[in-house]
Amino acid sequence: MNKQITLAMGNGGEENNELISKVFYKAFANDILEKSEDAAVIHNGELAFSTDSFTVSPIFFPGGDIGKLAICGTCNDLAMMGAKPKYLTCSVIIEEGFSLEELEKVVDSMKKELAINNAVIVSGDTKVVPKGSVDKIFINTTGIGEIEQKGLSANKISEDDVILLSRDIGCHGATIFTAREGMELSSNLQSDCASLSIQVQALIKEGVQITAMRDATRGGVSAVLNEWAKQSNICIEVQEEKIPVSQEVYGLCEMLGFEALNLANEGTFILAIPKADAAKAINVLQRFENSANSVEIAEVTQEYPAKVILKSGHGTKRFLEMPTGELLPRIC
């Protein structure tokens, strides 16, 4: 591993996983942490507990801002464990000179997203640091949620499951890139940043049995599928043509050489569902605007354990690897 911290070590890909396993897991190892879920399951399986820090640049972007992102991110991590978000903490580091008007816009976004999740901020902290110490504002949110469907785990996926995708991919990463670079596109491209707890609660209410869920944030769909394949020692065989990609994201990827499967999302999630419940799950998801084009994208086999295979419409196959290198830093 590189002796100096690099941007690639924070991008949700191979280098990020290596840093976490060889530094943090090595020091903090325990049975709960080593399950590597989106949120820790505690208190006899009744509660989910998660934390995340947000440093996105620019802090305002089409489809959201750092405040909305901070609430969605932590609430979504709780939702991915079948939990209903309840209580959050909020810690804010603000750069000297940041405008009060922009701070109030960020806090207002947080308030609106909390209401959507029916969650509340119950504790917090504020630090102001000298100009240049941080870029405008960094936010950390930590949350606790009540688990409504127990037993969800990325370590339990089997050949009895299929893999579903909630919507088209890559919108957040593409939006942040174009906003950061000042690219003016004649399109409606905007981040998919959204709370997912409503869809998850609808799935649970309809009796859909869920094996595992994960929001495809840093590292995108590629990272989640590779993590799942390794955690459950399975092979995930993806039908490439079934993966929805908008024309805007596809065009940007073609122009700049990006892989849409590696781009970050902030309101898109992947589900492992027993085959018998897959159709019901898609029917529930398609009731919501944010998941109207949800689709089954893959089957689980033992063809190549711990590997992800991308199958083209022409019958060819290739391994889909874990993303590496500096994908796009500070996207969340």
Side-chain angles (χ1 to χ4, degrees), residues 15-34:
E15 296 90 343
N16 192 197
N17 285 349
E18 186 180 24
L19 175 70
I20 291 169
S21 63
K22 292 187 176 178
V23 177
F24 296 106
Y25 278 28
K26 180 181 176 182
F28 304 142
N30 61 69
D31 291 342
I32 298 174
L33 183 65
E34 289 178 350

Side-chain angles (χ1 to χ4, degrees), residues 17-86:
N17 285 349
E18 186 180 24
L19 175 70
I20 291 169
S21 63
K22 292 187 176 178
V23 177
F24 296 106
Y25 278 28
K26 180 181 176 182
F28 304 142
N30 61 69
D31 291 342
I32 298 174
L33 183 65
E34 289 178 350
K35 292 185 185 303
S36 294
E37 306 285 5
D38 259 4
V41 175
I42 59 174
H43 204 261
N44 296 320
E46 296 176 351
L47 300 176
F49 187 29
S50 185
T51 190
D52 209 339
S53 296
F54 299 87
T55 67
V56 66
S57 176
I59 61 171
F60 297 99
F61 50 85
D65 58 50
I66 193 171
K68 180 180 181 182
L69 199 59
I71 300 302
C72 288
T74 290
C75 288
N76 288 349
D77 283 347
L78 297 171
M80 294 301 100
M81 296 308 295
K84 187 175 183 179
K86 296 289 288 184

Side-chain angles (χ1 to χ4, degrees), residues 163-167 169 221 243-244 268-270 293-295 297:
I163 307 298
L164 311 185
L165 180 62
S166 70
R167 57 163 290 167
I169 63 172
V221 172
I243 298 173
T268 302
F269 65 120
I270 303 172
N293 58 352
S294 59
V295 64
I297 61 166

Side-chain angles (χ1 to χ4, degrees), residues 34-297:
E34 289 178 350
K35 292 185 185 303
S36 294
E37 306 285 5
D38 259 4
V41 175
I42 59 174
H43 204 261
N44 296 320
E46 296 176 351
L47 300 176
F49 187 29
S50 185
T51 190
D52 209 339
S53 296
F54 299 87
T55 67
V56 66
S57 176
I59 61 171
F60 297 99
F61 50 85
D65 58 50
I66 193 171
K68 180 180 181 182
L69 199 59
I71 300 302
C72 288
T74 290
C75 288
N76 288 349
D77 283 347
L78 297 171
M80 294 301 100
M81 296 308 295
K84 187 175 183 179
K86 296 289 288 184
Y87 304 105
L88 273 70
T89 67
C90 170
S91 180
V92 183
I93 300 175
I94 309 169
E95 181 186 26
E96 175 190 24
F98 189 66
S99 81
L100 183 60
E101 181 182 359
E102 288 193 332
L103 178 61
E104 288 176 335
K105 285 175 64 177
V106 169
V107 172
D108 188 54
S109 289
M110 297 175 76
K111 178 183 176 181
K112 290 176 181 173
E113 212 61 33
L114 284 164
I116 291 172
N117 284 280
N118 198 25
V120 292
I121 298 284
V122 293
S123 183
D125 181 60
T126 304
K127 296 286 192 301
V128 178
V129 297
K131 193 168 184 62
S133 299
V134 299
D135 185 6
K136 298 181 179 62
I137 183 171
F138 292 170
I139 302 175
N140 172 273
T141 49
T142 298
I144 290 179
E146 291 178 346
I147 292 180
E148 297 186 317
Q149 185 175 120
K150 294 184 177 181
L152 275 67
S153 175
N155 301 285
K156 295 168 55 177
I157 304 168
S158 74
E159 291 174 83
D160 293 331
D161 296 308
V162 292
I163 307 298
L164 311 185
L165 180 62
S166 70
R167 57 163 290 167
D168 55 297
I169 63 172
C171 291
H172 182 70
T175 298
I176 295 299
F177 181 85
T178 55
R180 191 179 298 171
E181 298 299 319
M183 298 173 67
E184 294 184 4
L185 302 178
S186 55
S187 74
N188 295 317
L189 178 64
Q190 65 175 28
S191 169
D192 62 332
C193 183
S195 293
L196 300 171
S197 59
I198 299 170
Q199 284 109 308
V200 172
Q201 286 165 32
L203 289 168
I204 293 172
K205 184 179 179 182
E206 292 291 334
V208 174
Q209 294 303 305
I210 306 165
T211 303
M213 295 187 289
R214 187 162 293 179
D215 48 344
T217 54
R218 292 176 304 167
V221 172
S222 298
V224 173
L225 294 180
N226 273 283
E227 288 168 2
W228 280 5
K230 290 175 182 172
Q231 285 181 256
S232 290
N233 196 34
I234 51 170
C235 178
I236 298 176
E237 299 192 31
V238 183
Q239 296 290 340
E240 188 172 15
E241 73 274 13
K242 289 187 177 180
I243 298 173
V245 182
S246 70
Q247 285 300 314
E248 291 91 343
V249 171
Y250 180 79
L252 189 75
C253 288
E254 284 284 294
M255 184 167 58
L256 301 172
F258 289 162
E259 170 60 76
L261 286 160
N262 295 346
L263 289 180
N265 312 273
E266 289 295 342
T268 302
F269 65 120
I270 303 172
L271 308 89
I273 298 283
K275 293 173 185 172
D277 275 11
K280 184 196 288 187
I282 290 173
N283 180 265
V284 172
L285 290 172
Q286 290 182 345
R287 297 175 195 167
F288 299 88
E289 183 178 357
N290 189 43
S291 51
N293 58 352
S294 59
V295 64
E296 180 180 324
I297 61 166

